[in-house]
């Protein structure tokens, strides 16, 4: 769907349907004179009598088909005092889904209807555009199209009142578009069946995305990983016929080439079978999405480049396939991490932290970083603790924690702090090696985070985001269908845009 901007008075608004977010207990034509001018029949429309403006409520009103605006779709926001960005996102998303179901080709959203809500005009504009594009997203179909499905909406026009344009209106629309494009890219990648997305293919895709958006992309193959000493990442990939890769992406705008970069690291397990400690078969298919973190980082870097954010940002994607082939790592094996520490492998299903620890070391060795943030589908324990809406946030750096929570919160991605409880570090002591990579089930998300922290120098500003549980949804919502959610992309874009200082 194309996003258009119209600088036309209400008399010239046109399209198949006008999308009208409305608050509870407020009559549409009275509360918005511009709308009354665009669709004068609204004031006598009987359908409006039943519309209360409750959160999530929809009412479709028909006028004369030859009027410039033949239909109005009213979408409820709930009471004005509580109508925030989240309500606007949901309202626009469910409105757009309704339009698609009806087969409407063109939708007009008058910006004036957002102008009076709390949250700031530009911001609500960005959220609306983003929500519309997220709501209509469907991962690339690998089946033949259904001839009975109505065609997708062709365009959404944001109609500005030429007499009252918000200063940053166009840029806000663009930001919403870029953010949605990136979230949808991350969703597409995570939805890709594992047979169609190996570490090497993900690297090719990253190179293409980099080329198209002006990022620098370097890919380390197995031989180079060997030379760099990334023994843990290599161990994870050993059981697969498809060798690991480390993908490095860089956004270094002119004048910022030598700046201390923000580095994002995303887990890129293209399939997590559990390895020799094989997972149960129920839900194993979902483990094609165990590269959600890598997808989020790749999509973020592309969006950061599209936005031309004036800051140096890097993305590291350690990619491997966790399979139980004949050369697979075994429980009891001892491998060597990139920092020289020997690591005892206990459970081959705890592969994420192995891939990650080497990437964290690599990042600290090669760059003088301003912050290091990893995003990982790391532990079922985190999903059990926080449920389907909250991601786990681990850091000892309070100001970085606040930055991340604010960056996520404004986009509807929420994080809850979990502790890096130092006394539990003794759990990771090994009889035979410098460190053991798994602790008991109890406190599983914390144990994993402490393992990662072992590889981060104390002077480095580091945060770990555990997105297991929020990366995927089994229930379709207004903004997300069943499958990968792309959770984290908007957080990282906002974090990069706002900086970490
Ligand atoms: N990729 C999984 C974690 C996961 C589980 C992500 C469910 C999304 C949904 C990870 O590699 C894993 O298997 N973790 C184990 C660790 C355990 C063996 C210590 C887990 O959480 O059970
Ligand atoms: Mn696993
Ligand atoms: Zn995994």
């Amino acid at each position: 769907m194309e996003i258009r901007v119209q600088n036309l008075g209400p008399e010239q608004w046109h399209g198949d349907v006008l999308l009208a977010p409305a608050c509870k207990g407020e009559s549409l034509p009275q509360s918005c004179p511009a709308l009354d001018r665009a669709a004068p029949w609204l004031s006598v429309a009987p359908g409006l009598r039943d519309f209360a403006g409750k959160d999530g409520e929809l009412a479709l009103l028909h006028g004369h088909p030859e009027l410039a605006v033949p239909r109005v779709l009213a979408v409820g926001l709930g009471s004005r005092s509580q109508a925030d960005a989240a309500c606007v996102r949901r309202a626009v998303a469910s409105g757009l889904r309704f339009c698609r179901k009806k087969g409407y080709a063109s939708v007009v959203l008058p910006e004036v209807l957002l102008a009076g809500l709390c949250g700031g005009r530009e911001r609500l504009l960005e959220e609306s555009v983003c929500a519309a594009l997220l709501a209509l997203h469907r991962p690339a179909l690998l089946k033949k199209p259904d001839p009975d499905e109505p065609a997708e909406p062709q365009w959404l026009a944001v109609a500005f009142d030429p007499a009252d344009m918000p200063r940053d209106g166009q840029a806000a629309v663009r930001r919403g578009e870029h953010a949605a494009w990136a979230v949808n890219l991350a969703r597409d990648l995570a939805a890709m069946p594992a047979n169609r997305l190996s570490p090497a293919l993900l690297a090719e895709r990253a190179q293409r995305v980099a080329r198209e958006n002006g990022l620098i992309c370097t890919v380390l193959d197995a031989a180079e990983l060997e030379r760099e000493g990334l023994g843990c990442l290599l161990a994870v990939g050993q059981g697969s016929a498809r060798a690991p890769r480390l993908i490095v992406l860089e956004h270094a705008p002119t004048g910022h080439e030598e700046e201390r970069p923000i580095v994002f690291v995303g887990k890129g397990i293209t399939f997590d079978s559990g390895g020799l400690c094989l997972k149960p078969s129920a839900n194993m298919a979902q483990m094609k999405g165990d590269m959600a973190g890598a997808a989020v980082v790749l999509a973020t870097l592309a969006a950061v480049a599209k936005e031309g954010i004036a800051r140096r940002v890097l993305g590291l994607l350690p990619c491997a396939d966790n399979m139980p082939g004949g050369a697979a790592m075994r429980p009891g094996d001892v491998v060597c991490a990139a920092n020289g520490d020997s690591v005892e492998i206990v459970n081959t299903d705890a592969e994420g932290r192995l891939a990650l620890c080497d990437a964290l070391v690599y990042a600290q060795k090669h760059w003088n970083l301003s912050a290091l943030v990893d995003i990982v589908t790391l532990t079922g324990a985190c999903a059990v603790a926080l449920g389907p809406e909250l991601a786990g946030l681990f850091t000892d750096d309070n100001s970085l924690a606040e930055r991340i929570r604010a960056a996520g919160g404004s986009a509807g991605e929420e994080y809850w702090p979990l502790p890096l409880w130092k006394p539990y570090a003794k759990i990771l002591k090994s009889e035979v090696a410098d460190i053991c990579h798994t602790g008991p089930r109890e406190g599983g998300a914390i144990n994993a985070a402490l393992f990662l922290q072992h590889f981060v120098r104390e002077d480095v500003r580091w945060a770990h985001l555990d997105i297991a549980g929020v990366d995927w949804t089994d229930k379709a919502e207004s903004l997300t269908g069943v499958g990968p959610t792309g959770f984290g992309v908007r957080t990282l874009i906002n974090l990069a845009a706002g900086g970490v200082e």
Side-chain angles (χ1 to χ4, degrees):
M1 184 176 66
E2 185 198 338
I3 303 292
R4 299 185 180 172
V5 169
Q6 291 182 0
N7 290 311
L8 305 168
E11 292 78 9
Q12 287 136 306
W13 291 347
H14 67 97
D16 284 347
V17 56
L18 199 139
L19 188 65
C23 294
K24 196 162 131 192
E26 296 178 15
S27 115
L28 259 180
Q30 274 163 17
S31 73
C32 183
L35 192 59
D36 202 20
R37 266 157 63 208
W41 49 270
L42 259 186
S43 53
V44 293
L48 215 47
R49 280 183 224 137
D50 296 335
F51 179 75
K54 283 189 287 201
D55 194 359
E57 191 179 354
L58 291 176
L60 180 65
L61 305 153
H62 292 266
H64 193 281
E66 275 162 28
L67 290 171
V69 182
R71 294 177 198 86
V72 171
L73 178 61
V75 288
L77 293 166
S79 61
R80 182 169 289 272
S81 61
Q82 269 152 39
D84 58 2
C87 297
V88 170
R89 272 194 292 269
R90 274 199 306 275
V92 171
S94 47
L96 262 295
R97 281 184 175 233
F98 183 88
C99 293
R100 171 164 72 186
K101 215 163 63 207
K102 290 283 187 185
Y104 301 148
S106 53
V107 185
V108 183
L109 174 64
E111 193 271 336
V112 285
L113 292 176
L114 305 171
L117 300 167
C118 55
R121 281 173 85 172
E122 278 90 357
R123 189 155 155 253
L124 294 180
L125 201 50
E126 174 182 346
E127 294 305 313
S128 301
V129 168
C130 186
L133 292 165
L134 292 180
L136 294 186
H137 172 262
R138 279 196 273 236
L141 281 183
L142 301 171
K143 62 179 181 185
K144 295 174 197 71
D146 177 352
D148 296 333
E149 284 262 316
E152 296 284 308
Q154 295 296 297
W155 50 263
L156 167 70
V158 176
F160 288 109
D161 183 344
D164 182 26
M165 275 273 286
R167 235 180 329 121
D168 191 25
Q170 296 261 10
V173 169
R174 195 69 26 77
R175 277 199 303 276
E177 266 189 286
H178 289 157
W181 173 87
V183 174
N184 289 337
L185 169 63
R187 290 173 172 179
D188 285 342
L189 288 168
M192 196 94 94
N195 66 330
R196 291 168 186 251
L197 196 69
S198 61
L201 288 169
L202 184 51
E204 272 177 33
R205 184 66 189 267
Q207 270 165 327
R208 203 177 90 206
V209 170
R211 212 171 31 245
E212 289 166 355
N213 293 283
L215 297 162
I216 306 164
C217 179
T218 326
V219 177
L220 279 72
D221 63 15
E224 286 154 321
L225 294 176
E226 191 83 57
R227 230 171 298 136
E228 290 280 342
L230 279 70
C232 289
L233 176 60
L234 284 164
V236 174
Q238 255 168 234
S240 172
R242 313 190 299 182
R245 296 284 188 279
L246 177 68
I247 304 166
V248 183
L249 293 158
E250 179 170 4
H251 167 72
T254 316
H256 299 265
E257 295 93 339
E258 301 302 319
E259 187 177 280
R260 294 175 68 193
I262 301 177
V263 180
F264 298 134
V265 184
K267 170 175 168 181
I269 301 299
T270 45
F271 190 71
D272 181 11
S273 70
L276 284 177
C277 307
L278 200 63
K279 284 182 181 297
S281 42
N283 299 329
M284 200 203 271
Q286 195 186 314
M287 285 300 125
K288 67 180 181 181
D290 209 20
M291 31 55 71
V296 164
V297 173
L298 170 57
T300 297
L301 266 284
V304 163
K306 278 188 197 294
E307 281 284 306
I309 289 174
R311 190 167 277 114
R312 188 169 176 216
V313 184
L314 267 96
L316 259 59
L317 285 54
C319 301
D321 222 14
N322 188 25
M323 296 288 283
M329 58 177 174
R330 291 153 288 242
D333 280 2
V334 173
V335 295
C336 191
N339 69 342
D341 281 357
S342 58
V343 178
E344 182 190 2
I345 290 164
V346 180
N347 186 324
T348 62
D349 196 12
E351 84 299 336
R353 61 197 80 179
L354 293 173
L356 254 289
C357 72
D358 275 351
L360 293 174
V361 171
Y362 188 87
Q364 295 167 88
K365 186 168 137 196
H366 289 270
W367 295 277
N368 178 14
L369 358 134
S370 65
L372 181 58
V373 178
D374 70 61
I375 181 155
V376 213
T377 48
L378 198 61
T379 64
C382 187
V384 170
L386 297 178
E389 286 181 17
L390 292 169
L393 165 62
F394 295 84
T395 181
D396 285 334
D397 185 319
N398 291 334
S399 83
L400 184 57
E402 280 319 306
R403 288 268 170 185
I404 290 172
R405 294 187 80 187
S410 68
E413 297 173 346
E414 302 288 348
Y415 297 82
W416 208 262
L418 290 173
L420 285 159
W421 184 250
K422 299 303 171 302
Y424 290 170
K426 59 181 173 288
I427 285 163
L428 301 174
K429 283 211 159 61
S430 162
E431 293 291 326
V432 297
D434 295 321
I435 188 168
C436 156
H437 86 138
T438 339
R441 264 166 51 91
E442 294 79 11
I446 302 172
N447 303 338
L450 286 170
F451 177 81
L452 295 180
Q453 191 173 37
H454 172 87
F455 295 89
V456 180
R457 286 197 321 264
E458 255 182 49
D459 61 318
V460 172
R461 302 186 67 194
W462 166 71
H464 157 56
L465 311 177
D466 194 335
I467 54 166
V470 294
D471 68 305
W472 190 283
T473 178
D474 294 324
K475 208 173 118 237
E477 307 262 6
S478 52
L479 284 143
T480 327
V482 170
T485 59
F487 188 107
V489 170
R490 300 199 62 202
T491 306
L492 298 190
I493 297 173
N494 289 347
L495 188 64
V500 292
E501 298 308 327

